[in-house]
Amino acid sequence: MADIAADGYVPERDESGALTTVDGTPLKVSLRKSQRRAKRRAFYLVVPLLAFLFITFTIPIVGMIVRSVYNPEVANYLPETSAAIGDWDGEELPPEKVFAAMAADMEVGLENRTIGRAAGRINREIPGARSLVMGTARHVDEMQPPYREAFLEEDEDWSDLELWRLLKRETRLITPAYYLLALDFEYTPRGDIVERPEIYQVYRLLFIRTAWMSIVITGACLLLGYPVAHLLATLPLRTSNLLMILVLLPFWTSLLVRTSAWMVLLQQEGVVNDLLVWAGIINDNGRIRMIYNQLGTIIAMTHILLPFMILPLYSVMKTIPPSYMRAARSLGANQFTAFVKVYMPLTIPGLAAGVLLVFILAIGYYITPALVGGESGIFISNLIASNMQGTSAQLKLASALATILLVLVLFFYWLFNKLVGVDRLKFG
Amino acid sequence: MPLPTYAGPLERTWYYSYRFICAAIFIFLIVPILVIVPLSFNAQPYFTFTKEMLSFDPDGYSLRWYEELLSSREWMRAIGNSFFIAISATIISTTLGTLAALGLSRPNMPAKGFITAVLISPMIVPLIITAAALFSFYARLDLANSYFSIIMAHVVLGTPFVVITVTASLSGFDQQLIRAAQSLGANQVTTFFKVILPLLLPGVVAGALFAFITSLDEVVVVLFLAGPEQVTMTVRMFSGLREEISPTILALATILVAISILLLSSMELLRRRSERQRGMSPG
């Protein structure tokens, strides 16, 4: 490179007079190249973590989403039938070629011992279908074409159109059935989508309850967090740092410790009830039930999530100069007007951050509702957990429920990123 | 904000009731945590203060629940598992998270907002969803019920905290320092170890502490991924709380509170140190 410090420096130029580097490449190109290199270098530092998360987080989650719609059993175990039944219109008994395909599938299925699984899968939709399939399959090697007549002779139930319609529906590799179930809908035997009978409706109610209780908890956190954050932001630094410990210690304390503390406190024989009895507010046999219900979940979760409201509010409130309030007062506003018209609008970024963060964290909570929620205070997460330990159908239902919850949470996360920005998240 | 001398009676009342409300909220925040400490020394298997305890009779207090905790092989094993998993996960997530934060803080990082959002997402996705996804994933790989799967899961959960903390500590970082070091003849490696790392270290240690406590506290994922071999203390605590709550759990809870106080104090020291290093006034 030319000596920049020397006097009489003449920058290199090409024929058109544009600046170039010493080797003759235009400066613009060279600059762009070096910026690209710097970009690449920065990106390389992030690659290990991105790759790690992709394998151990993204792939499992995508796998879960796929599982919630993937329905391979019938298509895999009855491949010929699946192919043959495709152009059947569903109005009358399927043609001979479907029955022949079924007979072929049964023979293969018997050999591979997979026919039982196919029968089990169909049985889940039409109770009793297992014995029909298995009974016929056992004699399929003795059958002669035409198979339609042979099947009907073996068992009357093969003339059941609903069975065939179901088979046709179940041969599709992708099914919305688990999402329908997760929202309390189901297929009729004819293939229409209807609401499930009212006594079986649980999930929609639970989604609504989860959202509603999360809103209540977020509201409670806001109500308790706002004054505290304001106090911390306006006190002298020395005092507020000391008081900040009272917010940070719960934040750093194990979730289970805090939940068990509330279990101890709120029990009918616990400290809070003892205090109330001692103070004469209630009498000994009028002890209040504060746990294993919605109240228990709301109290414990408000306590657990409160620091997530206070910290973002505090960091925004700290940046508001106190002179603004003084200016408003000197212009004739009373304390209340000055607070509502001047101070509160300035806290909105912190408010949005706190509210969204608490709501996002609340809606997916599992541990606390499981321990203190009882019957009425559990969340959708608890149903996901209990379905995960069940059969493969329950596992798929759990995946569908989890995917719905995930979409909800990701929506609010997107909103959070849009309104607040994830890079503004800070702790302590 | 002290009460101005010209405040009227209404303002005065409001001022004191506001302080009173705040005091009540602080009590709400801290008392539940502090109340289990004396209760863990209860001589009786009750979860409330006995008469002897309230009159400070030494007979009302005992160390029996601590003895029970420390002499139980299952509990000790679970505590050992917890620390083994937490330490392993912390090492990996701190390394990966710090590297990523260094990249994110460079002025020419492409798609910064989106990548940050992706890297933080394990903190936002409900644990039960992560658990459900990882459970099937590792079961298919035949790696469920292994330390490996749990440690990997905890690395995933811990890295967002490292990324956030280190990025925050880098936000005040003066990029000129790197150029200054290099103009004085330091190569990239020397610059990193002599200039960047010392300034970065408080942030990295804070991030590591976060990752450590995240792993130590985590219940849901371990609940689904752990076999009987890998049970951690929080999972044992969770199932203990579900069945019948025993005072032994309160003894463990008290130890955990002590650990959080320790970690919180180290965080505070780190913060002061980092502020001093940058020449900001100590808080």
Side-chain angles (χ1 to χ4, degrees), chain A residues 150-340:
Chain A
F151 266 64
L152 290 177
E153 206 170 296
E154 181 71 34
D155 200 316
E156 275 274 277
D157 287 346
W158 285 111
S159 63
D160 184 5
L161 281 184
E162 281 179 8
L163 173 76
W164 289 104
R165 285 200 198 105
L166 174 94
L167 265 176
K168 182 172 170 166
R169 197 175 77 218
E170 291 301 323
T171 55
R172 285 183 300 198
L173 273 177
I174 287 175
T175 172
Y178 300 101
Y179 283 92
L180 294 178
L181 201 57
L183 295 170
D184 292 326
F185 288 95
E186 64 184 358
Y187 276 120
T188 60
R190 276 199 65 88
D192 304 320
I193 295 167
V194 292
E195 258 187 44
R196 301 187 80 199
E198 214 156 296
I199 45 163
Y200 295 127
Q201 291 186 9
V202 268
Y203 301 113
R204 223 182 318 163
L205 189 79
L206 216 63
F207 270 116
I208 293 169
R209 186 208 285 165
T210 305
W212 179 78
M213 281 179 68
S214 300
I215 291 171
V216 170
I217 290 161
T218 311
C221 282
L222 185 60
L223 214 62
L224 299 181
Y226 201 92
V228 166
H230 179 250
L231 184 75
L232 287 173
T234 49
L235 279 177
L237 210 55
R238 197 166 275 282
T239 330
S240 77
N241 268 352
L242 269 179
L243 285 176
M244 199 53 161
I245 295 175
L246 301 183
V247 179
L248 288 177
L249 184 61
F251 184 69
W252 277 85
T253 304
S254 163
L255 167 74
L256 267 182
V257 169
R258 286 184 278 167
T259 307
S260 44
W262 282 110
M263 291 174 81
V264 167
L265 283 174
L266 297 180
Q267 278 182 17
Q268 276 184 319
E269 299 298 321
V271 178
V272 173
N273 265 315
D274 278 357
L275 263 178
L276 291 175
V277 170
W278 176 78
I281 297 169
I282 54 174
N283 61 29
D284 201 23
N285 33 29
R287 287 168 175 264
I288 308 170
R289 233 180 103 101
M290 287 179 283
I291 201 174
Y292 307 123
N293 54 23
Q294 297 195 355
L295 184 66
T297 306
I298 290 173
I299 293 177
M301 281 183 62
T302 303
H303 177 251
I304 289 165
L305 295 172
L306 192 50
F308 289 96
M309 182 68 84
I310 295 177
L311 293 176
L313 271 174
Y314 168 76
S315 69
V316 167
M317 285 175 176
K318 247 189 100 113
T319 62
I320 302 174
S323 54
Y324 286 12
M325 278 294 273
R326 284 202 292 270
R329 298 291 311 267
S330 80
L331 289 170
N334 63 26
Q335 183 119 24
F336 180 76
T337 319
F339 186 79
V340 172

Side-chain angles (χ1 to χ4, degrees), chain B residues 43-89:
Chain B
Q44 307 298 322
Y46 302 135
F47 296 103
T48 188
F49 292 93
T50 54
K51 276 206 188 75
E52 292 82 27
M53 292 183 90
L54 289 174
S55 57
F56 293 104
D57 182 351
D59 287 345
Y61 294 88
S62 92
L63 287 171
R64 60 186 278 207
W65 308 117
Y66 288 87
E67 242 179 83
E68 201 159 294
L69 179 75
L70 298 176
S71 60
S72 150
R73 280 180 77 178
E74 289 93 23
W75 272 112
M76 290 316 282
R77 194 199 164 95
I79 293 174
N81 275 340
S82 279
F83 277 88
F84 170 65
I85 291 167
I87 291 170
S88 319

